[in-house]
Amino acid sequence: MGLSSVSSNTEDLQFCVFDLKRGQYEGQELDKILFFYPADLPFPSQLSVIGLSEGLITFTSIFSPEAPCEVIEAEMHSHVFYQAEPDIWMVMVVEKNTEVQAVWRIDALRNVLKEVHSLFMMFHGSIRLLLMKDPTGVIVRSHLYTFILDYLSAFRKWRTLDFCCCDFLVGKKLHLPSFRDSLKERGTVEMLTVGREAAIEVQSLVRVVESCGGNAQCYSLLLFQDLLVSTTLCPDDTINLFTYAVLRLTPHALSSRQSSWSYRGKGNSGSNIITKSSTEAAASFSEQHSPNSWSEDHRSIPRPLQHDKWSKGKDGFLVNDIWHGDSGNSTSPTPVVYLQQTEERMYLCAYQHCSLTLLFVVPVSSIINGEQGISAVKQLILDNASLKMSKVEEKLSKGWGGENAYHVSGYRYLLIDADRNISRASPPSKVATLAKDSLLFLTKLRKEVDIEKSRTRWDCPDHDRDLEICIRAKNNAWVIARATRGKELYMVLENANETVLYASDAVEKFSNRYCNGAFLD
Amino acid sequence: MSAKASTSQPVVGLSASGALSHAYIKYPPLRCNIPESSGLFYDDGNKIIVSQANNQVFSWKIAPFTPAIAPTSDSISEGPILSIKFSLDGKLIAIQRSNHEIQFQHRETGETFTQKCKSESESILGFFWTDCPLCDIVFVKTSGLDLFAYNSEFNMLHLVETRKLNVSWYVYTHESRLVLLASGMQCKAFTGFQLSSVGIIRLPKFEMMMAKAEANSKPVLASKDVYIITVYGRIYCLQVDRVAMLLHSYRFYRDAVVQQGSLPIYSTKISVSVVDNVLLVHQVDAKVVILYDIFLDSRAPISAPLPLLLRGLPRSSSIGIRSNRKNGDNSEANYLSDLEAIIYGDDWNFLTPDLICDVSNKIMWKLHLDLEAIAASSSDVTSVLEFLQRRKLDANKAKHLCLAMSRTVILERRPLSMVARVIDVLVSSYAHSLKTGGYFKGARSDKMATSSAPHENILSAGCMASASGATITGKSFEYGTACLEGEYFQASASSGTDLEDISTAVYFRTDTNIGTSKVPIDTGIQKIEVQPPSLQTDHDGTRNNLSGTSVSGMQEPQLTSPVISPDEMYSFVFCPAEEEMAGDPSYLVAIMIEFLRSASSEKIKVHPNFYVLTVQLLARNEQFAELGLFIINKVLEPSREVALQLLESGRQNRQTRKLGLDMLRQLNLHHDYVVSLAQEGYYLEALRYTRKHKVVTVRPSLFLEGAFASKDPQILAAVLRFFSDFLPGFSHTSDHKIYYHLLTDITMAPVT
């Protein structure tokens, strides 16, 4: 077995999900594999990747049973490990790009794995549960296939819209978080800064909306454009729903539907090709495993991440044709999501008014007669809250500074509040103006901080580490990282003066002005 | 007392219990029964009742209304008396002797003089004293108005001005300073003058509506069918149209008289009173009263017609009275005459604004509203609260009712939108009173935004002066004026007859209801002029001077307004609700947010305790993420109290504790911040901070103990070193010695 066999493939990415509990006996090894990308890779190659991973996990868990293996850095590839559920592992193999000295930030890649798993859990429940329901693994495999491939294509598409990166490649190449994304943090939400009055107005709206669910504990998430305004969910669920909303539900995501139509007209949209090929690939993969069951099954699998499936209904609620009704209804039933916090199944309703998107989840158990009950709740929301909603929208629109609202001239920054999973960064278009060198240095710096952080996490979990690093990059830019009690600040100052004093002054100014002096002790 | 007891319960069903009523008169009445006296005269300028016997005039103050009051007496010369009115300064008594002459008598000197009509063809219909700067007394004659000024030097009147016009009859109330002169065949053409302290305003002529019963008959309007009422500082005229069975209302502006719609009537005999700005239409034949609150455009009655009750009767129950009244039985009437309480008897005379004079029994009743019964009779909590918030006369009770009602809606978990409306009513009412200065306690600190219009400011200042004067002198004042309404009339006129502007008059005017003080405000030149009122000779001699308009009256328990401050909302609504509501506090949190929304939209400051309670509730429900959002967005305003509560509530939640720490830092509470940091184990950070911000109040031992407890020799060493370097003389203290030894012990231990 060798990495060479992997690298010989045209793909620069391999992605697999496997279960250590399955395929324990010789000849049944294929049973371990729950997902493999690219699917057309010969089984021996797939097994070699998984075999290596499994071997390392087993080996390292002797020393560190809690956190066995995080990463393998080979000469040509990096293997990123993520234990999604007990004994269920996700591994991503990425090629090292030797030409540009580009380095992968492993934590960023792991966050991708984490995100896809969290989203999967939200819509389908845990992998282990699905395996218990169907020990053959057919259901899990088909679900994982459609989901992950949709996710990866979504990933690509999202990137296209969000970034105007010149070197973004359409076709078969995926844009994974690279050094260019070092001023971004996956798995955090970006929040809209609102004034007190608007915040109270928002909270008042939230309470009214949640009172529409009757006695059941309902939750809501409010977004303005692609920014979070309010949530009553726990942080993990907030991140999942927020991510999904930004991918598929916000006005931004919905309007991309139109633009993708025009793409389709031209007939060379990367995302569409991927979607198509992924289905085929999934089908071919499944046929290999269980030739009979796939063709009936795959049509009934809801694909929440599929493109262009959501649209705004007449009443302002978003409708989709993803989930298929049992009795062949023309309209799709309301999607159901699993919350991590309460482990409850919830109906997910989304309402949109101009730039405002409201996600509202009601416990399935509290709605007695299914769709009818849901539409009653929706009507209640319309009656009680639509006026407030437009008031809030108006207020927020008035106070919003537009795309570049959070740009601070002279600074390129990323601010993370790890306690709250909130991040704020310079707008992507501004980050794009940075020199490549600056970004590469920043990636390196962030890698260092990641290592430092994970060490602290193991040493004293209750104590946050204070950090302050300033680096002078090759192109004379200052690359700065600061961490204080759960808050992190990364910064690139390209037009800064020579002295480190100047750079630290700039940080202080920034901290006073935009972080309430959090980085100032 | 049974009547009172049963209606004072907040829940009043439709069981038609005998005691249900919205308005009542209270036993005992004011008795004006002097032996051999004849006639009762109401002097509404001075708010006194006058009676005469044996060449003596007796006068009873009726404002404030105290049944036990003793009359003052003056002796006058013999002769017929058509009417008696004291001058507004109390120095003169004017007695109309006939249709042609009025006699004046100086009260101190006893000097008299007489003013007669010049020609025989005209006769005097009546007269009234006025505080108009031009003149002191006005004669209303069939040929028009004669305006006289009194010359004290020569002890005579001299004619200032004459207004010629034919007058059939007239109505005047001192409260409105408005005289309406009827003329024409049907007496339905009216000319009005307002003689207020800023001068005389002539209103445009107008005609009242009269429905015709038949084509040829032309009903003639009588003076008893026209009432001038003052409600919320606005002047209305109500006119009974017996044919149409309607009570037409007209509102007066300086340059216009506007018909305002009509109220239905159910009795041929109608009378009208105003109690605390509520219009009471007595359907005398039906023996019921209907209440209207004509603050808004709505002409719907507040509640269903109900009888007027006599309360506080020592012997008989009111049920007996009611049945007697219904039967109209003579023998029982006799039994009642003992009690002098025949409700809506023939001898009842309704005096403006809220008095009833029983001429035959020579007693005076004062009308009261039963706010509890009114509140209980409506299911629309919002409108009831609005109504209660407008009440000034029984502000204490209105306030308690408001508090109780808002508590109840919360405890009953009524829909959020409805509770939000309730809160809006209370908060906006408070905000309004802040702007207008009606809420004195609140005015001291809670006012964040001041109203912009200078016009309004002046009025509010004037109001303040008047009300504070009222609390001082309220007891001894006899000066029943409501000149503020008159001023309003002026004010509105000078600002272009703006309806909105006039409506703001509500809160000013009502203060004069309690403290009958005289505060002329010259809106024309926009300056306040607080005149010391000229008082009539007083019997008990207690007199305060209004010129000392000190604000000492602010501490009086007697409330002038039922508005509820945010602090009171906290302690009387939210705290009790929090105690009584078990289980999930999210409903209460939602209500509290509604309160914050309401308060922030009115720019009212909320006490930190309120935020502390919110933090407690959220933390109890473990909604830490939401709590964080609230703090970050400053929905809960930062304060030391909130920060400490965050530290306390966050004992199980590090993120919340951090929020508390951050808040302390942002508030520059250095000492608290450093101590809290040290408690969190951030010794070195805390020391860095102490040095940077020169915090000298924290003892070194706090850090040393903590650092030692952390069992980290590095930290202990660093802390020791810090104090040795930066605290002069530290190396000689016992702390240094102890911890230096401890440090060496720790560091040596592993080695040995």
Side-chain angles (χ1 to χ4, degrees):
Chain A
M1 66 181 285
L3 296 171
S4 57
S5 70
V6 178
S7 61
S8 68
N9 197 282
T10 47
E11 290 285 337
D12 62 348
L13 168 83
Q14 289 171 347
F15 190 135
C16 60
V17 181
F18 57 91
D19 180 4
L20 289 181
K21 281 193 176 162
R22 297 170 68 90
Q24 301 275 9
Y25 302 103
E26 197 175 346
Q28 294 178 355
E29 290 91 348
L30 272 183
D31 224 20
K32 287 185 205 299
I33 309 175
L34 300 179
F35 172 83
F36 203 97
Y37 175 89
D40 48 4
L41 198 71
F43 284 128
S45 308
Q46 293 187 15
L47 281 175
S48 82
V49 172
I50 288 169
L52 173 65
S53 306
E54 190 182 352
L56 268 167
I57 290 164
T58 319
F59 177 64
T60 49
S61 58
I62 298 170
F63 315 107
S64 169
E66 295 292 308
C69 186
E70 288 178 342
V71 64
I72 308 171
E73 296 276 14
E75 194 185 348
M76 306 290 282
H77 290 88
S78 297
H79 295 229
V80 184
F81 289 73
Y82 174 64
Q83 186 170 16
E85 292 167 36
D87 292 322
I88 291 177
W89 286 79
M90 300 172 97
V91 176
M92 187 189 263
V93 184
V94 287
E95 200 176 13
K96 284 186 176 173
N97 192 337
T98 45
E99 293 163 43
V100 289
Q101 287 276 302
V103 277
W104 297 109
R105 196 165 71 82
I106 302 304
D107 275 26
L109 293 177
R110 193 175 297 112
N111 280 343
V112 173
L113 297 178
K114 201 174 160 191
E115 183 172 279
V116 68
H117 179 253
S118 300
L119 287 175
F120 184 86
M121 289 258 284
M122 180 165 82
F123 287 107
H124 300 304
S126 74
I127 296 174
R128 180 62 66 209
L129 215 67
L130 283 172
L131 280 173
M132 273 154 69
K133 270 186 210 159
D134 172 39
T136 63
V138 175
I139 290 179
V140 172
R141 283 193 185 103
S142 51
H143 274 76
L144 278 173
Y145 254 84
T146 50
F147 194 87
I148 296 178
L149 290 174
D150 280 343
Y151 174 79
L152 291 177
S153 75
F155 203 76
R156 157 171 298 173
K157 187 167 176 110
W158 188 27
R159 297 286 118 176
T160 347
L161 289 165
D162 229 21
F163 272 70
C164 340
C165 277
C166 46
D167 65 345
F168 174 78
L169 296 170
V170 283
K172 293 218 159 186
K173 211 155 188 173
L174 288 167
H175 184 102
L176 287 171
S178 71
F179 67 93
R180 299 211 176 267
D181 302 314
S182 50
L183 282 181
K184 277 203 153 264
E185 183 73 357
R186 184 169 297 276
T188 58
V189 295
E190 291 180 57
M191 291 211 65
L192 180 75
T193 301
V194 291
R196 176 166 193 264
E197 210 170 305
I200 291 173
E201 210 64 66
V202 164
Q203 284 304 322
S204 163
L205 166 69
V206 165
R207 307 293 142 174
V208 168
V209 166
E210 288 185 10
S211 74
C212 294
N215 291 327
Q217 179 66 57
C218 305
Y219 302 96
S220 69
L221 199 73
L222 194 69
L223 288 94
F224 180 81
Q225 306 280 23
D226 284 352
L227 300 167
L228 183 72
V229 178
S230 144
T231 172
T232 53
L233 285 159
C234 80
D236 286 343
D237 290 321
T238 299
I239 292 167
N240 289 341
L241 273 175
F242 174 80
T243 310
Y244 185 65
V246 170
L247 282 174
R248 289 292 172 263
L249 301 177
T250 58
H252 198 163
L254 286 183
S255 70
S256 73
R257 182 193 170 100
Q258 268 86 46
S259 60
S260 83
W261 269 105
S262 65
Y263 271 126
R264 193 170 285 171
K266 286 174 197 161
N268 60 350
S269 161
S271 58
N272 283 324
I273 291 163
I274 270 284
T275 314
K276 203 175 154 211
S277 67
S278 68
T279 323
E280 279 164 8
S284 69
F285 171 85
S286 270
E287 269 157 24
Q288 286 166 323
H289 276 272
S290 47
N292 298 327
S293 56
W294 168 251
S295 45
E296 300 103 67
D297 258 13
H298 80 290
R299 267 171 254 284
S300 64
I301 298 169
R303 293 169 59 186
L305 282 174
Q306 230 178 338
H307 279 289
D308 307 338
K309 293 294 181 185
W310 285 91
S311 59
K312 195 169 163 182
K314 273 179 198 149
D315 54 357
F317 280 95
L318 301 183
V319 290
N320 66 81
D321 46 6
I322 293 170
W323 283 267
H324 309 287
D326 300 328
S327 51
N329 276 350
S330 56
T331 53
S332 237
T334 313
V336 173
V337 294
Y338 295 82
L339 289 190
Q340 292 185 13
Q341 182 184 21
T342 54
E343 292 179 342
E344 215 175 346
R345 297 176 73 224
M346 312 287 268
Y347 284 116
L348 170 67
C349 309
Y351 178 88
Q352 204 160 74
H353 174 78
C354 300
S355 315
L356 207 62
T357 309
L358 173 80
L359 302 192
F360 179 63
V361 292
V362 211
V364 171
S365 55
S366 76
I367 303 288
I368 301 156
N369 41 3
E371 285 306 307
Q372 248 180 317
I374 285 288
S375 53
V377 171
K378 282 182 175 175
Q379 193 54 45
L380 258 178
I381 293 179
L382 283 179
D383 292 348
N384 293 338
S386 54
L387 200 73
K388 264 199 153 97
M389 200 102 70
S390 48
K391 212 168 135 191
V392 166
E393 206 277 338
E394 200 180 310
K395 206 158 228 174
L396 294 182
S397 305
K398 230 183 264 173
W400 196 48
E403 296 276 351
N404 286 340
Y406 302 128
H407 174 57
V408 182
S409 65
Y411 294 87
R412 300 291 181 272
Y413 68 95
L414 166 68
L415 183 64
I416 303 170
D417 185 344
D419 291 334
R420 244 161 280 292
N421 301 306
I422 298 171
S423 69
R424 166 159 303 168
S426 297
S429 58
K430 298 288 178 187
V431 175
T433 64
L434 284 179
K436 196 172 176 181
D437 271 345
S438 314
L439 287 169
L440 282 172
F441 262 91
L442 182 65
T443 311
K444 277 181 191 156
L445 179 61
R446 288 204 64 183
K447 277 181 92 168
E448 290 302 316
V449 175
D450 286 341
I451 292 167
E452 197 64 38
K453 265 171 25 191
S454 70
R455 254 183 219 147
T456 322
R457 206 156 40 232
W458 290 112
D459 290 348
C460 41
D462 280 344
H463 215 83
D464 298 311
R465 182 78 184 243
D466 272 17
L467 264 178
E468 181 169 7
I469 307 172
C470 287
I471 298 178
R472 187 82 164 158
K474 262 192 239 164
N475 60 345
N476 286 340
W478 284 106
V479 181
I480 301 161
R482 292 211 57 170
T484 308
R485 267 168 282 142
K487 291 198 177 69
E488 294 161 41
L489 175 65
Y490 302 95
M491 200 175 263
V492 180
L493 302 168
E494 282 197 332
N495 302 322
N497 209 313
E498 278 108 58
T499 61
V500 71
L501 205 65
Y502 180 91
S504 102
D505 266 5
V507 173
E508 190 170 323
K509 261 184 215 156
F510 186 89
S511 158
N512 282 339
R513 181 88 175 74
Y514 301 100
C515 325
N516 293 318
F519 299 98
L520 225 177
D521 273 339
Chain B
M1 295 304 276
S2 63
K4 192 169 188 184
S6 59
T7 43
S8 63
Q9 281 166 14
V11 185
V12 175
L14 293 171
S15 59
S17 91
L20 195 60
S21 83
H22 295 144
Y24 63 94
I25 50 178
K26 206 157 89 187
Y27 189 89
L30 169 65
R31 289 166 201 281
C32 314
N33 204 357
I34 301 289
E36 296 174 51
S37 67
S38 65
L40 280 179
F41 306 96
Y42 178 46
D43 178 358
D44 78 333
N46 296 303
K47 290 262 182 285
I48 51 173
I49 284 286
V50 182
S51 174
Q52 67 92 27
N54 303 329
N55 298 339
Q56 291 253 307
V57 280
F58 299 90
S59 56
W60 291 266
K61 286 191 297 179
I62 48 163
F65 190 82
T66 35
I69 198 157
T72 26
S73 68
D74 293 274
S75 48
I76 53 163
S77 57
E78 215 172 329
I81 297 175
L82 297 185
S83 123
I84 303 180
K85 277 180 179 128
F86 287 38
S87 69
L88 296 183
D89 59 8
K91 285 181 180 152
L92 290 174
I93 307 174
I95 306 159
Q96 187 179 357
R97 293 295 190 180
S98 72
N99 282 340
H100 292 94
E101 65 170 294
I102 293 173
Q103 189 190 42
F104 293 87
Q105 180 179 336
H106 201 275
R107 286 179 80 179
E108 280 169 25
T109 61
E111 285 175 75
T112 62
F113 63 94
T114 308
Q115 191 77 26
K116 285 185 184 163
C117 279
K118 284 198 179 101
S119 76
E120 287 295 315
S121 61
E122 57 183 24
S123 62
I124 298 173
L125 294 168
F127 70 96
F128 54 86
W129 294 94
T130 171
D131 51 3
C132 173
L134 250 72
C135 56
D136 296 312
I137 188 163
V138 177
F139 288 11
V140 186
K141 300 189 295 184
T142 49
S143 62
L145 297 179
D146 280 353
L147 282 60
F148 295 98
Y150 170 63
N151 190 327
S152 54
E153 222 174 296
F154 301 105
N155 205 22
M156 59 170 286
L157 295 180
H158 65 90
L159 188 64
V160 176
E161 203 180 327
T162 309
R163 301 268 176 151
K164 289 281 179 208
L165 68 164
N166 287 324
V167 181
S168 308
W169 46 262
Y170 80 103
V171 280
Y172 175 80
T173 64
H174 189 74
E175 202 179 29
S176 63
R177 308 288 200 278
L178 180 71
V179 59
L180 282 181
L181 308 168
S183 60
M185 289 284 285
Q186 286 180 272
C187 298
K188 63 174 190 175
F190 283 87
T191 311
F193 293 95
Q194 197 192 25
L195 300 104
S196 66
S197 53
V198 287
I200 302 171
I201 303 154
R202 187 193 168 116
L203 300 174
K205 271 190 179 171
F206 70 102
E207 288 215 349
M208 290 197 183
M209 297 202 303
M210 298 279 278
K212 287 177 190 170
E214 294 155 37
N216 293 328
S217 78
K218 284 190 173 170
V220 177
L221 197 62
S223 66
K224 65 176 166 49
D225 288 339
V226 173
Y227 307 93
I228 299 170
I229 61 161
T230 316
V231 175
Y232 297 116
R234 313 163 187 163
I235 301 170
Y236 293 88
C237 174
L238 300 177
Q239 171 228 340
V240 183
D241 187 338
R242 265 176 239 289
V243 179
M245 288 299 267
L246 284 173
L247 188 65
H248 301 301
S249 68
Y250 306 84
R251 184 165 165 196
F252 292 106
Y253 301 88
R254 187 170 79 161
D255 49 2
V257 179
V258 181
Q259 225 222 312
Q260 298 268 304
S262 309
L263 307 171
I265 53 175
Y266 307 97
S267 158
T268 50
K269 200 178 168 198
I270 289 290
S271 211
V272 164
S273 306
V274 173
V275 183
D276 199 7
N277 292 315
V278 177
L279 174 64
L280 277 64
V281 180
H282 304 278
Q283 319 277 338
V284 177
D285 293 345
K287 295 191 189 301
V288 288
V289 57
I290 306 180
L291 276 59
Y292 297 92
D293 185 16
I294 47 181
F295 183 72
L296 303 168
D297 283 334
S298 157
R299 292 284 169 271
I302 295 168
S303 51
L306 282 174
L308 187 71
L309 282 192
L310 171 63
R311 297 235 176 117
L313 208 57
R315 283 175 292 168
S316 167
S317 79
S318 61
I319 297 164
I321 294 163
R322 270 163 49 84
S323 62
N324 292 331
R325 185 161 37 71
K326 271 181 194 157
N327 298 340
D329 197 313
N330 255 345
S331 62
E332 284 174 286
N334 286 339
Y335 156 71
L336 277 169
S337 72
D338 184 31
L339 304 165
E340 303 151 325
I342 308 163
I343 305 279
Y344 291 124
D346 292 338
D347 293 322
W348 271 26
N349 208 343
F350 294 88
L351 306 176
T352 48
D354 56 355
L355 295 168
I356 298 163
C357 176
D358 189 339
V359 183
S360 59
N361 293 312
K362 293 188 178 136
I363 52 176
M364 296 288 297
W365 298 102
K366 189 175 162 68
L367 283 159
H368 298 272
L369 292 180
D370 187 340
L371 294 181
E372 274 173 350
I374 294 170
S377 65
S378 172
S379 59
D380 184 354
V381 182
T382 323
S383 56
V384 169
L385 282 175
E386 280 171 348
F387 172 80
L388 288 175
Q389 287 289 302
R390 289 197 286 265
R391 303 285 70 82
K392 307 281 159 167
L393 210 53
D394 202 352
N396 256 326
K397 172 160 277 173
K399 186 171 187 168
H400 286 137
L401 278 171
C402 287
L403 286 170
M405 285 171 78
S406 33
R407 246 190 333 258
T408 313
V409 291
I410 295 174
L411 289 176
E412 285 173 354
R413 289 180 182 259
R414 304 288 273 275
L416 201 54
S417 53
M418 184 239 186
V419 183
R421 280 202 303 279
V422 164
I423 287 171
D424 280 342
V425 169
L426 298 181
V427 170
S428 61
S429 165
Y430 172 74
H432 191 102
S433 78
L434 273 193
K435 276 184 201 139
T436 56
Y439 187 82
F440 305 119
K441 277 161 117 184
R444 60 168 192 249
S445 65
D446 293 345
K447 193 173 177 183
M448 280 159 70
T450 49
S451 58
S452 50
H455 175 68
E456 202 175 5
N457 277 340
I458 277 160
L459 291 175
S460 64
C463 169
M464 200 114 152
S466 94
S468 57
T471 41
I472 300 161
T473 58
K475 210 179 160 194
S476 60
F477 256 165
E478 292 209 5
Y479 228 157
T481 79
C483 80
L484 274 176
E485 299 88 86
E487 300 321 310
Y488 260 92
F489 204 69
Q490 291 293 321
S492 66
S494 64
S495 60
T497 324
D498 187 4
L499 279 160
E500 277 302 304
D501 203 20
I502 293 166
S503 69
T504 59
V506 179
Y507 294 94
F508 313 126
R509 184 243 160 274
T510 40
D511 281 324
T512 59
N513 254 355
I514 295 165
T516 50
S517 63
K518 179 183 173 184
V519 186
I521 302 162
D522 195 338
T523 51
I525 54 167
Q526 299 204 334
K527 90 180 184 196
I528 313 155
E529 185 190 346
V530 182
Q531 291 177 352
S534 38
L535 297 158
Q536 65 178 61
T537 47
D538 209 1
H539 355 280
D540 44 38
T542 52
R543 171 147 332 139
N544 291 301
N545 201 339
L546 187 63
S547 59
T549 46
S550 76
V551 205
S552 64
M554 280 163 59
Q555 305 308 322
E556 287 279 299
Q558 179 65 46
L559 294 174
T560 55
S561 159
V563 296
I564 296 166
S565 72
D567 290 1
E568 287 162 329
M569 280 297 272
Y570 167 77
S571 25
F572 299 115
V573 177
F574 292 113
C575 276
E578 191 261 333
E579 275 166 30
E580 285 186 48
M581 281 175 112
D584 183 11
S586 53
Y587 175 77
L588 189 58
V589 171
I591 303 278
M592 292 175 81
I593 287 165
E594 286 302 322
F595 178 70
L596 282 181
R597 180 190 54 73
S598 204
S600 103
S601 71
E602 298 282 2
K603 307 237 180 320
I604 291 173
K605 234 175 135 57
V606 176
H607 195 272
N609 279 344
F610 180 86
Y611 299 124
V612 169
L613 181 63
T614 318
V615 174
Q616 284 169 346
L617 289 173
L618 286 170
R620 193 186 307 162
N621 218 21
E622 298 198 335
Q623 290 168 297
F624 291 112
E626 275 181 271
L627 178 56
L629 203 63
F630 278 31
I631 298 292
I632 287 172
N633 285 333
K634 296 203 167 50
V635 170
L636 308 177
E637 284 179 301
S639 67
R640 183 168 184 269
E641 289 89 337
V642 173
L644 295 180
Q645 183 59 47
L646 285 173
L647 290 172
E648 159 85 22
S649 294
R651 261 181 303 187
Q652 306 304 321
N653 185 283
R654 201 156 60 99
Q655 280 77 21
T656 307
R657 281 205 307 277
K658 277 190 201 167
L659 284 175
L661 277 176
D662 287 348
M663 191 179 282
L664 286 176
R665 191 189 64 233
Q666 282 158 37
L667 290 169
N668 288 325
L669 295 165
H670 299 311
H671 178 84
D672 292 311
Y673 179 59
V674 168
V675 170
S676 308
L677 260 188
Q679 275 164 0
E680 289 286 301
Y682 295 102
Y683 303 104
L684 305 184
E685 289 86 345
L687 288 177
R688 271 208 298 276
Y689 190 88
T690 15
R691 186 148 185 277
K692 184 160 185 178
H693 294 275
K694 304 190 171 53
V695 186
V696 291
T697 46
V698 186
R699 288 174 296 111
S701 57
L702 179 82
F703 294 95
L704 291 165
E705 280 163 22
F708 176 66
S710 76
K711 298 221 165 32
D712 186 341
Q714 274 185 21
I715 291 178
L716 184 56
V719 171
L720 268 177
R721 179 65 193 267
F722 177 89
F723 285 115
S724 314
D725 283 1
F726 297 114
L727 194 68
F730 175 73
S731 46
H732 303 297
T733 60
S734 58
D735 273 346
H736 179 261
K737 215 176 279 172
I738 295 164
Y739 285 100
Y740 188 76
H741 279 295
L742 286 171
L743 179 64
T744 41
D745 285 353
I746 300 172
T747 43
M748 297 310 275
V751 178
T752 50

